Amino acid sequence: MLNLVRKWIFLVPVLLSFCANAQKDSSFLDNISIPERYKFFHGIFEDAKNSIRKDQFDTTNNRVVLLTQSEESFKRYEGKIIRHIMVKRYDFERTFSDTSKRIQYFGTRILNSLHTNTRPFVIRNNLFIRENTKLDAYKLADNERYLRNLDFIQDVRIIITPTDLSGDSVDVIVISKDLFSLKVFADVVGFNARRIRARISESNLGGTAQSLQVAGLWERSRSPSADYQLVYGKNNIGGSFVNGNIGYSRVDGGRSEGNEEEYSSFVRLNRPLVSPFSQLAGGMEVSFNHAVNVYKKPDSSFFDYRYNLYDFWAGINLGVTDIREGIGQYKRRDRIFVSARFTHTDFLKTPFQIGDRINPIYNDRQLILGQITFFRQEYFKMNYLYGFGNTEDIPTGYNVALTAGWHRQLYLQRPYTGFEIDKYIVTARGGFLHGSVRAGAFYRNRSLEDASFLVSGNYFSALIPFRKWKIRQQFRASYTQLDHRNTSFPLFLNNAYGPPNFNSGNIFGDKRLSAYTESVLYLNKKIFGFLFAPFTYISASALTAENKKFLESGIYPGLGGGVRTRNENLIFGTVEFKALYFPRQVPGLRGFQFYINSDIRFRYRTNFVKAPDVIQLNFEDIY
């Protein structure tokens, strides 16, 4: 039977809204005649039909292809005094990519009735600028990008308007458009629904930048058969740009270390480096976790363990000059960031199957790292990389990070050194290239252990016009090598460095070479209100078993295609329908697979710096 993963977005909010509107007067339907009742239901049907129809005045062809430096539109106002800052918003019937008309259908009215817009004070709390200060183009561009990357914001524009004939002062208008923040998901396994995982989340409670997620799991073979997860979050606590989460999970929803189902409680705080002129960044996580035998495994095969996790890091940006030096400091984008990290995975109980042997998972571990990062990053506004014309902030510049520290695992104590180099290039025609080289190793007994090396590249071509459509070609490739493995995981293919959806963990080695190419066609015309982007891809990976030569590697090809679609009128985000095929038979891997995925990333990762870490070869997605 083909492996079918079904991720549905429920229409419950639509039905609830309909019921709420119909029940504003409890005797509403009882007090109208039969012909009028017919007209009432006919009107509802017409609204629903219109929400997905093709618009007679469809202006999708007018969508602008973005390619501009983020600060370009602000440069002519540099040095002006900011008189007033005004916060405005777009409802769901407006779009930044097609501003020539409003979309006023049944779908947009449902969205606006169910959604509470972000409060103005939330936007103001996330501003870097203040009234009665001088305007800096780079600072304003950084602020626009930061706002656009908030979890509950779809897009943002900052508009500058002169206030008088002298032109000495300006008003700043911040226009934001929310993402629809209420989401309901469900995963159903088996045609007889032997396992159901559901999640409802609100990422912007009451428009106050607070989030709440409730998840549930029901499974026949599980005991208890039903369990839950609760997670609460807050953006920008007290205007500090610190984001926080607190949660309790009984459905293996924490940062799980082991392979069993875990109960977990956790607290997380994170302050990113929100822009190049920001001085401080850091974070912490504390969690308490233990394995639970919910599937009633025999004692001989159940790994019984309990551990606590403590993770702290902090850093300071040494490249920031005093803001009192005035306008122009933000033009100097080269920065030096110094950071340190301490982590402790404290196993209070270890599985008897492991005992006192070295194991990548079930050992006590401590890690102390220091890092110095040299970076320069500026941004271009682009589109049609991951999204359907949404504004995407694409970095250009470099990151060079040098890392050193001390690692203890069980009875092993070893120093560690590593480096990471990232280069980002936006071409004159709108192509984008990200290249990366990473290496690191532990040192013991005058030799290197767990020596890691990873080189990768990811390239998006410039948009290729084809009739009235747009084509974007993507190429990516990586080579990974792991020598003298002791405490590390071997190399796998079930991650971002292997073929997409290669879900078998039975294949591993110490050398991996992967390549991937994808063609995406962005159609201009709407069909029943939906935008479509058909795509095809080919991938291949060579994996060398441990202690074998590279020429003895196994080759694992994959190919597939499908379509991504999005309707701005309805509550659905970007949905991907994909079919794929693996020609080579692998234990635990289906040859033909079909996927429906509604959790599509549509923004490129743009972190300036991150917590110091050893080189990750399986778990980190640098694309």
Side-chain angles (χ1 to χ4, degrees), residues 88-90 96 123 153 155-157 174-178:
K88 298 185 177 181
R89 60 177 173 80
Y90 276 178
F96 288 105
I123 300 297
I153 296 294
D155 209 343
V156 167
R157 290 290 186 276
V174 183
I175 307 174
S176 66
K177 181 180 178 181
D178 286 0

Side-chain angles (χ1 to χ4, degrees), residues 180-232:
F180 187 71
S181 54
L182 178 63
K183 297 180 178 65
V184 184
F185 296 95
D187 292 339
V188 183
V189 177
F191 288 99
N192 58 351
R194 66 176 181 271
R195 175 174 177 156
I196 301 174
R197 184 184 294 268
R199 181 174 78 251
I200 180 170
S201 63
E202 170 58 69
S203 58
N204 195 10
L205 278 169
T208 60
Q210 301 178 77
S211 63
L212 181 64
Q213 176 176 294
V214 180
L217 171 68
W218 180 87
E219 187 172 357
R220 293 180 182 178
S221 59
R222 201 175 183 275
S223 179
S225 57
D227 247 322
Y228 64 93
Q229 177 194 61
L230 296 173
V231 181
Y232 168 79

Side-chain angles (χ1 to χ4, degrees), residues 258-546:
N259 294 323
E260 303 288 356
E261 290 283 313
E262 297 182 10
Y263 288 1
S264 174
S265 55
F266 54 86
V267 177
R268 300 181 185 128
L269 296 174
N270 177 51
R271 189 190 197 276
L273 194 68
V274 296
S275 75
F277 67 85
S278 181
Q279 285 192 307
L280 300 176
M284 61 156 284
E285 178 178 357
V286 176
S287 68
F288 308 98
N289 320 266
H290 65 278
V292 182
N293 192 5
V294 296
Y295 295 107
K296 302 303 178 183
K297 296 180 181 179
D299 292 342
S300 58
S301 60
F302 174 66
F303 279 46
D304 191 10
Y305 56 87
R306 179 184 294 269
Y307 67 93
N308 298 335
L309 175 67
Y310 309 94
D311 190 349
F312 305 89
W313 79 280
I316 185 170
N317 191 358
L318 301 180
V320 179
T321 56
D322 193 326
I323 195 168
R324 289 171 295 181
E325 293 183 11
I327 295 301
Q329 62 164 317
Y330 301 111
K331 296 178 183 178
R332 300 191 292 274
R333 308 289 282 187
D334 296 286
R335 297 287 188 261
I336 301 174
F337 186 81
V338 178
S339 56
R341 183 181 186 183
F342 169 76
T343 70
H344 182 198
T345 305
D346 182 17
F347 269 87
L348 307 175
K349 185 176 184 180
T350 304
F352 73 87
Q353 297 92 332
I354 302 300
D356 59 355
R357 294 181 289 112
I358 292 293
N359 183 275
I361 301 177
Y362 302 105
N363 290 154
D364 245 25
R365 300 188 300 278
Q366 287 184 342
L367 178 66
I368 301 174
L369 289 177
Q371 186 177 85
I372 181 169
T373 302
F374 306 89
F375 71 91
R376 177 189 178 94
Q377 282 192 339
E378 297 176 281
Y379 288 87
F380 278 77
K381 292 178 186 177
M382 295 177 62
N383 52 7
Y384 295 105
L385 265 77
Y386 288 108
F388 288 83
N390 293 317
T391 306
E392 301 178 61
D393 298 286
I394 305 303
T396 177
Y398 67 87
N399 284 62
V400 178
L402 307 176
T403 308
W406 189 264
H407 182 262
R408 180 188 66 81
Q409 181 166 339
L410 207 58
Y411 49 80
L412 284 182
Q413 299 190 49
R414 304 173 295 173
Y416 174 84
T417 57
F419 70 87
E420 305 177 24
I421 301 174
D422 290 273
K423 178 65 177 177
Y424 307 88
I425 299 173
V426 174
T427 69
R429 296 183 58 195
F432 174 64
L433 173 66
H434 173 200
S436 178
V437 179
R438 304 184 177 197
F442 297 93
Y443 184 78
R444 186 169 72 102
N445 296 331
R446 299 183 179 180
S447 64
L448 299 180
E449 293 183 341
D450 296 293
S452 306
F453 176 76
L454 169 63
V455 58
S456 66
N458 189 20
Y459 174 70
F460 291 89
S461 74
L463 280 172
I464 304 168
F466 178 68
R467 297 180 179 177
K468 295 183 179 180
W469 304 327
K470 306 173 185 70
I471 297 175
R472 180 89 73 174
Q473 188 73 34
Q474 181 188 8
F475 305 91
R476 70 174 186 242
S478 65
Y479 175 74
T480 316
Q481 185 168 325
L482 177 62
D483 294 324
H484 308 293
R485 185 173 73 88
N486 188 359
T487 61
S488 302
F489 285 98
L491 303 181
F492 296 99
L493 293 180
N494 57 342
N495 52 62
Y497 302 107
N501 303 103
F502 192 95
N503 297 322
S504 174
N506 299 319
I507 307 298
F508 55 89
D510 59 12
K511 299 178 186 67
R512 179 181 62 208
L513 176 64
S514 296
Y516 175 91
T517 181
E518 177 182 287
S519 300
V520 183
L521 176 65
Y522 292 98
L523 304 178
N524 286 338
K525 289 293 184 181
K526 295 180 182 179
I527 302 175
F528 297 111
F530 285 85
L531 292 168
F532 288 89
F535 68 94
T536 60
Y537 73 84
I538 300 175
S539 66
S541 293
L543 187 66
T544 309
E546 292 183 295

Side-chain angles (χ1 to χ4, degrees), residues 129-178:
I129 59 174
R130 294 291 181 265
E131 295 174 344
N132 300 316
T133 62
K134 291 184 178 181
L135 185 149
D136 189 286
Y138 287 88
K139 187 177 184 180
L140 206 58
D142 286 331
N143 205 162
E144 186 182 74
R145 174 194 55 80
Y146 171 75
L147 289 170
R148 196 157 33 235
N149 282 279
L150 295 177
D151 290 339
F152 45 88
I153 296 294
Q154 184 192 75
D155 209 343
V156 167
R157 290 290 186 276
I158 296 180
I159 308 298
I160 309 299
T161 60
T163 60
D164 52 44
L165 295 178
S166 65
D168 293 332
S169 61
V170 294
D171 286 338
V172 176
I173 305 172
V174 183
I175 307 174
S176 66
K177 181 180 178 181
D178 286 0

